Amino acid sequence: HPSRVFLVGYSQGGGLALAAAMRAPRPLGGVLMLSSWVAEPLQEKKATCPVHMFHGAMDPVIPLEAARRGHAALLDVGASGVFRAYGMTHGVVDEEVRDIAQTLYEALS
């Protein structure tokens, strides 16, 4: 069932996952964006699934504030979901992996 499908992407892949979810014919379970950003304008769009963002507080590739602005824009178009920042650069850390697993566990339980 589509409500159990999550699209996940890291960096540019997060933007692609979001774009695909926004165009899905039915609402998906959610999108997980890791060290990513909102890659396209959201005006006149409506979020149909939760979007969770996980980001490095010291990311030199995609600055934290750019990711936070993207999350705020998603909230403005009706997305739910959390934004979490970690003491890392442009990468993945164990704490983030645990949070991702917990997010999926809660959504799929």
Side-chain angles (χ1 to χ4, degrees):
H1 191 271
S3 66
R4 297 184 61 78
V5 173
F6 280 75
L7 301 182
V8 182
Y10 170 79
S11 195
Q12 186 175 4
L16 292 172
L18 177 63
M22 297 290 274
R23 290 167 174 79
R26 292 185 213 122
L28 302 178
V31 177
L32 306 180
M33 300 175 69
L34 290 65
S35 296
S36 191
W37 75 100
V38 175
E40 64 181 4
L42 295 174
Q43 308 85 300
E44 301 178 26
K45 294 188 179 170
K46 178 80 173 125
T48 60
C49 67
V51 180
H52 303 278
M53 296 181 76
F54 307 87
H55 207 83
M58 301 164 288
D59 190 331
V61 178
I62 302 160
L64 180 63
E65 281 312 307
R68 286 192 192 278
R69 282 192 305 274
H71 183 251
L74 286 163
L75 296 177
D76 287 345
V77 296
S80 60
V82 299
F83 183 96
R84 290 191 172 96
Y86 303 90
M88 64 179 191
T89 59
H90 193 71
V92 178
V93 293
D94 290 343
E95 180 185 5
E96 178 184 20
V97 172
R98 284 190 296 273
D99 288 345
I100 290 166
Q102 185 64 34
T103 298
L104 289 170
Y105 177 78
E106 291 172 5
L108 296 171
S109 293

XYZ file of all heavy atoms in Angstrom:
810
model
N 0.848 -1.182 0.000
C 0.000 0.000 0.000
C 0.892 1.244 0.000
O 1.897 1.294 0.730
C -0.912 -0.033 1.234
C -1.988 0.988 1.170
N -1.813 2.265 1.649
C -3.235 0.942 0.677
C -2.930 2.951 1.458
N -3.802 2.163 0.870
N 0.561 2.264 -0.774
C 1.414 3.470 -0.872
C 1.703 4.141 0.465
O 2.743 4.774 0.624
C 0.611 4.401 -1.783
C -0.264 3.504 -2.580
C -0.572 2.330 -1.682
N 0.812 4.014 1.430
C 1.037 4.668 2.724
C 2.182 4.016 3.504
O 2.614 4.546 4.519
C -0.239 4.660 3.561
O -0.572 3.330 3.917
N 2.689 2.907 3.019
C 3.826 2.238 3.658
C 5.119 2.448 2.867
O 6.146 1.866 3.198
C 3.530 0.753 3.852
C 2.341 0.549 4.806
C 2.070 -0.891 5.113
N 3.164 -1.584 5.758
C 3.503 -1.506 7.056
N 2.829 -0.698 7.850
N 4.501 -2.201 7.538
N 5.064 3.285 1.852
C 6.233 3.559 1.020
C 6.877 4.872 1.482
O 6.193 5.886 1.596
C 5.837 3.662 -0.468
C 7.018 4.117 -1.315
C 5.284 2.334 -0.969
N 8.179 4.816 1.715
C 8.950 6.000 2.080
C 10.028 6.209 1.030
O 10.710 5.268 0.644
C 9.621 5.828 3.454
C 8.685 6.070 4.588
C 7.729 5.138 4.914
C 8.748 7.240 5.326
C 6.847 5.358 5.950
C 7.864 7.472 6.362
C 6.910 6.527 6.673
N 10.168 7.433 0.580
C 11.257 7.788 -0.324
C 12.344 8.447 0.514
O 12.062 9.328 1.331
C 10.766 8.727 -1.415
C 9.640 8.184 -2.302
C 9.286 9.202 -3.384
C 10.022 6.852 -2.920
N 13.576 7.992 0.318
C 14.701 8.457 1.124
C 15.803 8.924 0.196
O 16.098 8.253 -0.801
C 15.233 7.326 2.036
C 16.366 7.829 2.911
C 14.103 6.740 2.884
N 16.397 10.064 0.515
C 17.504 10.533 -0.296
C 18.502 11.313 0.517
O 18.152 11.991 1.481
N 19.757 11.201 0.095
C 20.859 11.917 0.720
C 21.334 13.015 -0.230
O 21.515 12.774 -1.429
C 21.999 10.944 1.028
C 23.271 11.609 1.461
C 23.416 12.070 2.764
C 24.308 11.798 0.569
C 24.574 12.703 3.163
C 25.481 12.422 0.961
C 25.602 12.867 2.261
O 26.750 13.501 2.650
N 21.517 14.211 0.291
C 21.992 15.358 -0.469
C 21.037 15.644 -1.632
O 19.839 15.811 -1.409
C 23.434 15.126 -0.930
O 24.019 16.343 -1.360
N 21.532 15.659 -2.860
C 20.654 15.940 -3.998
C 19.538 14.909 -4.112
O 18.432 15.220 -4.539
C 21.466 15.977 -5.288
C 20.656 16.393 -6.493
C 21.514 16.548 -7.733
O 22.721 16.281 -7.723
N 20.911 16.986 -8.805
N 19.810 13.689 -3.683
C 18.796 12.635 -3.718
C 17.597 12.938 -2.834
O 16.484 12.492 -3.106
N 17.804 13.713 -1.774
C 16.681 14.121 -0.931
C 15.726 15.034 -1.670
O 14.506 14.905 -1.563
N 16.282 15.958 -2.437
C 15.449 16.834 -3.260
C 14.676 16.054 -4.296
O 13.505 16.334 -4.571
N 15.313 15.045 -4.881
C 14.641 14.199 -5.866
C 13.543 13.356 -5.219
O 12.458 13.181 -5.794
C 15.653 13.302 -6.574
C 16.636 14.025 -7.483
C 17.709 13.066 -7.979
C 15.918 14.668 -8.646
N 13.823 12.827 -4.031
C 12.805 12.048 -3.314
C 11.580 12.916 -3.026
O 10.438 12.482 -3.213
C 13.392 11.488 -2.019
N 11.815 14.143 -2.586
C 10.710 15.059 -2.317
C 9.933 15.361 -3.594
O 8.697 15.320 -3.601
C 11.227 16.359 -1.694
C 10.169 17.429 -1.441
C 9.124 16.949 -0.443
C 10.835 18.710 -0.963
N 10.634 15.654 -4.684
C 9.963 15.961 -5.942
C 9.108 14.784 -6.408
O 7.976 14.973 -6.862
C 10.997 16.328 -7.011
N 9.626 13.576 -6.277
C 8.862 12.390 -6.674
C 7.630 12.210 -5.799
O 6.532 11.911 -6.292
C 9.745 11.145 -6.612
N 7.779 12.422 -4.494
C 6.636 12.271 -3.580
C 5.558 13.305 -3.866
O 4.361 12.997 -3.787
C 7.109 12.379 -2.134
N 5.968 14.524 -4.203
C 4.991 15.580 -4.478
C 4.199 15.287 -5.758
O 3.123 15.836 -5.958
C 5.698 16.937 -4.594
C 6.385 17.402 -3.321
S 5.283 17.867 -2.004
C 4.965 19.562 -2.421
N 4.753 14.433 -6.614
C 4.086 14.096 -7.872
C 3.415 12.716 -7.836
O 2.823 12.292 -8.825
C 5.106 14.125 -9.008
C 5.584 15.519 -9.331
C 6.822 15.485 -10.240
N 7.217 16.820 -10.669
C 7.897 17.677 -9.922
N 8.249 17.366 -8.701
N 8.219 18.870 -10.389
N 3.525 12.021 -6.738
C 2.954 10.666 -6.637
C 1.434 10.724 -6.809
O 0.787 11.656 -6.322
C 3.311 10.048 -5.292
N 0.870 9.738 -7.480
C -0.574 9.746 -7.709
C -1.388 9.533 -6.438
O -2.565 9.878 -6.393
C -0.794 8.615 -8.707
C 0.394 7.733 -8.571
C 1.530 8.611 -8.138
N -0.775 8.954 -5.418
C -1.436 8.736 -4.121
C -0.469 9.138 -3.010
O 0.736 9.060 -3.185
C -1.796 7.263 -3.955
C -2.856 6.826 -4.903
C -3.293 5.384 -4.628
N -3.647 4.810 -5.910
C -3.095 3.738 -6.431
N -2.181 3.079 -5.786
N -3.468 3.302 -7.607
N -0.984 9.530 -1.862
C -0.098 9.894 -0.750
C 0.788 8.722 -0.324
O 0.322 7.589 -0.203
C -1.066 10.285 0.371
C -2.327 10.656 -0.327
C -2.396 9.762 -1.537
N 2.056 9.023 -0.114
C 3.008 8.024 0.356
C 3.126 8.094 1.870
O 2.591 9.001 2.507
C 4.376 8.280 -0.290
C 4.406 8.273 -1.817
C 5.817 8.584 -2.323
C 3.923 6.942 -2.359
N 3.883 7.165 2.431
C 4.102 7.166 3.872
C 4.938 8.336 4.337
O 4.747 8.852 5.432
N 5.865 8.773 3.493
C 6.680 9.910 3.872
C 7.945 10.021 3.060
O 8.248 9.183 2.201
N 8.685 11.076 3.345
C 9.973 11.343 2.719
C 10.976 11.593 3.833
O 10.685 12.304 4.794
C 9.899 12.586 1.800
C 11.271 12.906 1.210
C 8.872 12.388 0.701
N 12.157 11.008 3.690
C 13.258 11.256 4.606
C 14.369 11.918 3.808
O 14.883 11.342 2.852
C 13.769 9.948 5.224
C 12.731 9.063 5.908
C 13.388 7.814 6.475
C 11.995 9.812 6.994
N 14.720 13.128 4.198
C 15.737 13.906 3.494
C 16.958 14.048 4.394
O 16.880 14.663 5.453
C 15.179 15.274 3.115
C 13.955 15.207 2.205
S 13.221 16.835 1.879
C 14.498 17.580 0.850
N 18.076 13.493 3.976
C 19.313 13.510 4.754
C 20.292 14.497 4.123
O 20.631 14.365 2.938
C 19.947 12.124 4.776
C 19.252 11.020 5.583
C 17.898 10.655 5.030
C 20.140 9.796 5.629
N 20.740 15.465 4.917
C 21.692 16.479 4.434
C 21.247 17.022 3.081
O 21.992 17.013 2.108
C 23.108 15.886 4.339
O 23.569 15.518 5.612
N 20.020 17.474 3.030
C 19.401 17.836 1.760
C 18.725 19.196 1.839
O 18.791 19.882 2.857
C 18.390 16.747 1.378
O 17.948 16.918 0.059
N 18.056 19.556 0.750
C 17.356 20.831 0.656
C 16.151 20.670 -0.252
O 16.048 19.716 -1.009
C 18.290 21.920 0.143
C 18.598 21.851 -1.329
C 18.021 22.605 -2.313
C 19.518 20.996 -2.005
N 18.539 22.278 -3.549
C 19.465 21.277 -3.376
C 20.387 19.992 -1.567
C 20.242 20.612 -4.326
C 21.154 19.336 -2.510
C 21.077 19.649 -3.857
N 15.252 21.627 -0.177
C 14.086 21.651 -1.061
C 14.574 22.228 -2.389
O 14.932 23.396 -2.471
C 12.939 22.486 -0.455
C 11.785 22.610 -1.425
C 12.488 21.852 0.863
N 14.595 21.390 -3.416
C 15.258 21.742 -4.672
C 14.376 22.471 -5.674
O 14.871 22.905 -6.705
C 15.813 20.471 -5.310
N 13.102 22.574 -5.399
C 12.228 23.261 -6.349
C 11.197 24.092 -5.603
O 10.888 23.805 -4.457
C 11.537 22.265 -7.285
C 10.594 21.313 -6.586
C 9.954 20.316 -7.553
O 10.292 20.308 -8.738
O 9.117 19.552 -7.100
N 10.662 25.129 -6.239
C 9.659 25.967 -5.570
C 8.427 25.143 -5.175
O 8.028 24.230 -5.895
C 9.296 27.005 -6.637
C 10.427 26.991 -7.603
C 10.978 25.594 -7.583
N 7.854 25.505 -4.053
C 6.684 24.771 -3.552
C 5.385 25.549 -3.711
O 4.328 25.049 -3.340
C 6.885 24.435 -2.066
C 8.025 23.476 -1.757
C 8.203 23.360 -0.244
C 7.789 22.125 -2.384
N 5.442 26.774 -4.259
C 4.213 27.543 -4.404
C 3.181 26.722 -5.167
O 3.509 26.012 -6.100
C 4.406 28.834 -5.194
C 5.453 29.765 -4.812
C 6.809 29.454 -5.400
O 7.352 28.411 -5.159
N 7.379 30.383 -6.115
N 1.950 26.869 -4.754
C 0.813 26.210 -5.392
C 0.875 24.693 -5.310
O 0.194 23.993 -6.046
C 0.679 26.659 -6.861
C 0.501 28.156 -7.002
C 0.415 28.594 -8.451
O 0.011 27.785 -9.295
O 0.744 29.757 -8.721
N 1.701 24.162 -4.417
C 1.755 22.719 -4.209
C 1.226 22.419 -2.827
O 1.240 23.252 -1.933
C 3.181 22.196 -4.366
C 3.683 22.340 -5.779
C 4.997 21.657 -5.962
C 5.398 21.831 -7.422
N 6.737 21.429 -7.684
N 0.762 21.214 -2.643
C 0.247 20.769 -1.356
C 0.978 19.490 -0.973
O 1.006 18.541 -1.747
C -1.265 20.513 -1.477
C -1.903 20.008 -0.217
C -2.165 21.138 0.750
C -2.967 20.630 1.932
N -2.349 20.911 3.185
N 1.582 19.481 0.187
C 2.253 18.272 0.666
C 1.199 17.234 1.038
O 0.206 17.553 1.682
C 3.124 18.599 1.868
N 1.423 16.020 0.607
C 0.449 14.955 0.874
C 0.999 13.892 1.808
O 0.316 12.913 2.079
C 0.014 14.288 -0.443
O 1.174 13.740 -1.081
C -0.679 15.283 -1.358
N 2.233 14.085 2.297
C 2.812 13.107 3.219
C 3.808 13.814 4.134
O 4.260 14.913 3.834
C 3.494 11.969 2.450
S 4.954 12.441 1.510
N 4.162 13.169 5.240
C 5.163 13.759 6.130
C 6.532 13.832 5.452
O 6.888 12.955 4.658
C 5.216 12.782 7.309
C 3.970 11.978 7.221
C 3.601 11.929 5.775
N 7.272 14.883 5.776
C 8.634 15.044 5.269
C 9.531 15.302 6.476
O 9.359 16.290 7.180
C 8.740 16.211 4.266
C 10.179 16.343 3.765
C 7.773 16.010 3.103
N 10.467 14.385 6.696
C 11.394 14.492 7.825
C 12.770 14.853 7.281
O 13.237 14.260 6.309
C 11.474 13.162 8.572
C 10.148 12.679 9.055
N 9.568 13.137 10.212
C 9.272 11.791 8.511
C 8.394 12.538 10.374
N 8.195 11.726 9.355
N 13.395 15.828 7.916
C 14.718 16.275 7.470
C 15.743 16.047 8.576
O 15.502 16.359 9.743
C 14.678 17.742 7.062
C 13.775 18.002 5.850
S 13.747 19.735 5.323
C 15.338 19.832 4.486
N 16.895 15.505 8.192
C 18.004 15.202 9.088
C 19.233 15.885 8.503
O 19.589 15.629 7.348
C 18.216 13.686 9.157
C 16.964 12.918 9.512
C 16.071 12.531 8.528
C 16.681 12.591 10.834
C 14.902 11.821 8.843
C 15.529 11.891 11.163
C 14.643 11.509 10.164
N 19.892 16.771 9.284
C 20.904 17.637 8.687
C 22.077 17.885 9.624
O 21.928 17.889 10.843
C 20.258 18.979 8.322
C 20.921 19.668 7.196
N 20.655 19.384 5.884
C 21.877 20.622 7.183
C 21.394 20.142 5.104
N 22.149 20.901 5.873
N 23.220 18.130 9.033
C 24.422 18.467 9.799
C 24.466 19.937 10.163
O 24.313 20.801 9.296
N 24.688 20.217 11.424
C 24.738 21.603 11.888
C 25.921 22.360 11.301
O 25.896 23.582 11.227
C 24.798 21.642 13.415
N 26.946 21.634 10.859
C 28.146 22.266 10.297
C 28.332 21.880 8.834
O 29.452 21.791 8.350
C 29.360 21.863 11.129
C 29.225 22.283 12.592
S 30.388 21.438 13.692
C 29.718 19.792 13.747
N 27.242 21.656 8.136
C 27.301 21.219 6.740
C 27.804 22.355 5.847
O 27.139 23.373 5.711
C 25.910 20.770 6.290
C 25.901 20.071 4.953
O 26.770 20.368 4.113
O 25.012 19.229 4.740
N 28.989 22.202 5.207
C 29.495 23.249 4.334
C 28.905 23.185 2.916
O 29.028 24.130 2.150
C 31.003 22.977 4.298
C 31.087 21.493 4.436
C 29.952 21.111 5.368
N 28.275 22.069 2.573
C 27.719 21.886 1.229
C 26.324 22.484 1.144
O 26.006 23.232 0.222
C 27.696 20.385 0.847
C 27.076 20.176 -0.524
C 29.104 19.799 0.915
N 25.490 22.146 2.117
C 24.132 22.689 2.208
C 24.009 23.309 3.598
O 23.831 22.599 4.585
C 23.069 21.593 2.010
C 23.264 20.914 0.659
C 21.661 22.185 2.121
C 22.633 19.562 0.553
N 24.143 24.612 3.703
C 24.118 25.258 5.015
C 22.841 24.930 5.799
O 21.761 24.775 5.221
C 24.186 26.746 4.679
C 24.848 26.797 3.334
C 24.361 25.568 2.619
N 23.017 24.824 7.097
C 21.898 24.485 7.986
C 20.709 25.410 7.763
O 19.570 24.954 7.704
C 22.369 24.553 9.440
C 21.333 24.232 10.507
C 20.840 22.793 10.373
C 21.926 24.469 11.894
N 20.948 26.704 7.602
C 19.838 27.646 7.435
C 19.069 27.409 6.138
O 17.849 27.611 6.089
C 20.318 29.089 7.541
C 20.534 29.541 8.973
C 19.362 29.203 9.900
O 18.212 29.566 9.583
O 19.595 28.562 10.938
N 19.739 26.969 5.094
C 19.042 26.648 3.842
C 18.109 25.463 4.055
O 16.966 25.455 3.574
C 20.045 26.334 2.739
N 18.568 24.475 4.799
C 17.720 23.320 5.095
C 16.543 23.730 5.984
O 15.412 23.298 5.758
C 18.547 22.223 5.763
N 16.809 24.569 6.969
C 15.716 25.038 7.841
C 14.669 25.832 7.055
O 13.474 25.687 7.295
C 16.266 25.902 8.976
C 16.978 25.128 10.054
C 17.229 26.025 11.269
N 18.128 25.438 12.208
C 17.792 24.536 13.133
N 16.564 24.089 13.200
N 18.691 24.071 13.970
N 15.109 26.659 6.131
C 14.154 27.404 5.291
C 13.304 26.445 4.460
O 12.103 26.649 4.291
C 14.889 28.390 4.377
C 15.331 29.652 5.075
C 15.801 30.731 4.100
N 16.850 30.282 3.194
C 18.156 30.300 3.464
N 18.579 30.766 4.634
N 19.035 29.891 2.577
N 13.916 25.407 3.941
C 13.171 24.406 3.181
C 12.143 23.706 4.033
O 10.997 23.487 3.612
N 12.517 23.375 5.262
C 11.567 22.723 6.171
C 10.400 23.657 6.481
O 9.240 23.240 6.488
C 12.278 22.295 7.455
C 11.400 21.555 8.397
N 10.959 22.103 9.575
C 10.857 20.316 8.328
C 10.188 21.226 10.192
N 10.107 20.137 9.465
N 10.696 24.922 6.714
C 9.627 25.900 6.978
C 8.695 26.012 5.771
O 7.465 26.096 5.929
C 10.221 27.263 7.322
N 9.267 26.000 4.568
C 8.437 26.068 3.353
C 7.548 24.829 3.238
O 6.387 24.924 2.819
C 9.328 26.201 2.119
N 8.069 23.688 3.624
C 7.261 22.452 3.602
C 6.105 22.545 4.593
O 4.986 22.137 4.287
C 8.139 21.245 3.911
C 9.058 20.831 2.766
C 10.172 19.930 3.267
C 8.241 20.141 1.684
N 6.381 23.074 5.767
C 5.304 23.247 6.754
C 4.236 24.181 6.207
O 3.038 23.964 6.418
C 5.864 23.766 8.075
C 6.828 22.840 8.819
C 7.360 23.532 10.065
C 6.173 21.514 9.171
N 4.663 25.207 5.477
C 3.722 26.174 4.898
C 2.780 25.539 3.877
O 1.685 26.055 3.653
C 4.464 27.337 4.241
C 5.084 28.287 5.249
O 4.721 28.228 6.451
O 5.945 29.094 4.832
N 3.212 24.461 3.225
C 2.341 23.799 2.243
C 1.687 22.546 2.815
O 1.182 21.702 2.080
C 3.074 23.480 0.910
C 3.510 24.767 0.227
C 4.234 22.512 1.113
N 1.691 22.440 4.141
C 0.924 21.390 4.795
C 1.660 20.129 5.185
O 1.044 19.172 5.649
N 2.957 20.102 5.015
C 3.704 18.904 5.414
C 3.810 18.843 6.928
O 3.917 19.859 7.597
C 5.103 18.911 4.792
N 3.786 17.641 7.419
C 4.163 17.414 8.808
C 5.561 16.809 8.766
O 6.115 16.589 7.697
C 3.170 16.460 9.479
O 3.164 15.214 8.807
N 6.123 16.544 9.892
C 7.455 15.965 9.931
C 8.386 16.809 10.762
O 8.109 17.968 11.055
N 9.517 16.215 11.121
C 10.457 16.875 12.019
C 11.703 17.320 11.280
O 12.022 16.807 10.202
C 10.849 15.953 13.195
C 9.634 15.591 14.026
C 11.553 14.709 12.693
N 12.399 18.266 11.875
C 13.718 18.688 11.413
C 14.678 18.405 12.556
O 14.464 18.879 13.674
C 13.728 20.177 11.070
C 15.045 20.633 10.518
C 15.229 20.710 9.155
C 16.097 20.961 11.357
C 16.448 21.111 8.622
C 17.319 21.369 10.847
C 17.495 21.446 9.477
N 15.713 17.643 12.279
C 16.713 17.344 13.297
C 18.089 17.728 12.778
O 18.428 17.433 11.637
C 16.696 15.858 13.649
C 15.454 15.435 14.399
C 15.624 14.019 14.954
N 14.534 13.677 15.832
C 13.458 12.992 15.455
N 13.336 12.572 14.223
N 12.506 12.710 16.323
N 18.867 18.380 13.627
C 20.240 18.746 13.273
C 21.198 17.992 14.186
O 20.889 17.739 15.355
C 20.438 20.253 13.419
N 22.352 17.653 13.630
C 23.346 16.852 14.332
C 24.701 17.537 14.255
O 24.970 18.283 13.320
C 23.450 15.454 13.693
C 22.123 14.746 13.671
C 21.262 14.897 12.586
C 21.706 13.977 14.745
C 20.027 14.282 12.571
C 20.461 13.358 14.732
C 19.630 13.514 13.656
O 18.399 12.914 13.648
N 25.569 17.243 15.194
C 26.910 17.819 15.221
C 27.809 17.155 14.194
O 28.720 16.414 14.547
N 27.531 17.413 12.935
C 28.301 16.801 11.845
C 28.358 17.765 10.670
O 27.699 18.798 10.669
C 27.659 15.484 11.400
C 26.270 15.647 10.800
S 25.595 14.061 10.271
C 24.166 14.622 9.335
N 29.123 17.391 9.663
C 29.180 18.169 8.434
C 28.205 17.537 7.439
O 27.072 17.247 7.796
C 30.621 18.223 7.886
O 31.076 16.894 7.641
C 31.553 18.917 8.860
N 28.624 17.311 6.219
C 27.768 16.740 5.170
C 27.987 15.230 5.168
O 28.850 14.715 4.459
C 28.141 17.359 3.819
C 27.143 17.098 2.733
N 25.904 17.687 2.715
C 27.206 16.320 1.630
C 25.242 17.292 1.632
N 26.027 16.459 0.962
N 27.236 14.540 6.004
C 27.430 13.104 6.153
C 26.309 12.484 6.949
O 25.210 13.021 7.022
N 26.618 11.346 7.554
C 25.645 10.602 8.356
C 26.352 10.149 9.630
O 27.501 9.711 9.582
C 25.111 9.372 7.578
C 24.138 8.561 8.423
C 24.449 9.803 6.276
N 25.667 10.259 10.767
C 26.219 9.816 12.046
C 25.264 8.809 12.688
O 24.089 8.723 12.320
C 26.463 11.003 13.008
C 27.561 11.917 12.488
C 25.193 11.792 13.251
N 25.802 8.043 13.649
C 25.024 6.977 14.289
C 23.724 7.488 14.906
O 22.678 6.843 14.792
C 25.854 6.276 15.366
C 26.977 5.434 14.778
O 26.931 5.116 13.567
O 27.914 5.093 15.535
N 23.770 8.621 15.574
C 22.568 9.173 16.200
C 21.477 9.421 15.156
O 20.295 9.141 15.380
C 22.904 10.480 16.924
C 21.707 11.132 17.596
C 22.035 12.492 18.203
O 23.162 13.000 18.041
O 21.131 13.067 18.833
N 21.875 9.913 14.007
C 20.940 10.169 12.921
C 20.314 8.863 12.431
O 19.101 8.787 12.209
C 21.677 10.871 11.784
C 20.836 11.155 10.564
C 21.666 11.770 9.454
O 22.914 11.646 9.456
O 21.057 12.386 8.561
N 21.138 7.830 12.283
C 20.635 6.524 11.830
C 19.612 5.982 12.830
O 18.561 5.458 12.434
C 21.794 5.532 11.611
C 21.267 4.131 11.323
C 22.685 6.010 10.471
N 19.888 6.149 14.107
C 18.917 5.707 15.134
C 17.614 6.498 15.012
O 16.519 5.930 15.108
C 19.513 5.863 16.532
C 20.528 4.800 16.880
C 20.924 4.842 18.353
N 21.591 6.076 18.728
C 22.906 6.292 18.619
N 23.687 5.349 18.153
N 23.433 7.440 18.989
N 17.709 7.809 14.801
C 16.507 8.634 14.657
C 15.713 8.248 13.409
O 14.477 8.224 13.424
C 16.868 10.118 14.610
C 17.312 10.649 15.958
O 17.082 9.986 16.987
O 17.914 11.746 15.970
N 16.409 7.935 12.327
C 15.731 7.496 11.098
C 14.998 6.182 11.348
O 13.835 6.026 10.970
C 16.748 7.365 9.950
C 17.237 8.757 9.533
C 16.140 6.614 8.756
C 18.478 8.729 8.644
N 15.679 5.250 12.000
C 15.043 3.962 12.304
C 13.808 4.162 13.175
O 12.767 3.549 12.942
C 16.055 3.037 12.994
N 13.899 5.032 14.171
C 12.763 5.293 15.058
C 11.612 5.949 14.292
O 10.455 5.615 14.488
C 13.190 6.183 16.242
C 12.096 6.407 17.265
C 11.672 5.124 17.970
O 12.495 4.227 18.215
N 10.400 5.002 18.273
N 11.937 6.873 13.404
C 10.915 7.529 12.584
C 10.160 6.499 11.741
O 8.932 6.506 11.691
C 11.568 8.595 11.670
O 12.170 9.593 12.502
C 10.541 9.243 10.754
N 10.898 5.604 11.105
C 10.266 4.570 10.286
C 9.449 3.602 11.156
O 8.340 3.222 10.799
C 11.317 3.808 9.479
C 11.954 4.594 8.345
C 13.138 3.839 7.774
C 10.923 4.907 7.260
N 10.011 3.216 12.297
C 9.302 2.305 13.197
C 7.959 2.911 13.630
O 6.928 2.246 13.578
C 10.169 2.010 14.424
C 9.489 1.149 15.441
C 9.379 -0.233 15.256
C 8.926 1.707 16.586
C 8.718 -1.027 16.178
C 8.276 0.920 17.516
C 8.169 -0.441 17.313
O 7.503 -1.216 18.237
N 7.974 4.172 14.042
C 6.741 4.823 14.485
C 5.748 4.965 13.350
O 4.543 4.778 13.542
C 7.059 6.194 15.085
C 7.796 6.098 16.412
C 8.293 7.433 16.925
O 7.990 8.483 16.306
O 9.010 7.426 17.952
N 6.221 5.272 12.168
C 5.316 5.486 11.033
C 4.705 4.178 10.529
O 3.573 4.172 10.051
C 6.067 6.167 9.901
N 5.447 3.095 10.669
C 4.982 1.823 10.101
C 4.336 0.891 11.126
O 3.857 -0.173 10.763
C 6.148 1.111 9.409
C 6.715 1.861 8.204
C 7.996 1.206 7.714
C 5.684 1.957 7.090
N 4.334 1.302 12.397
C 3.742 0.455 13.447
C 2.237 0.535 13.448
O 1.626 1.502 13.087
C 4.254 0.879 14.808
O 5.622 0.597 14.920
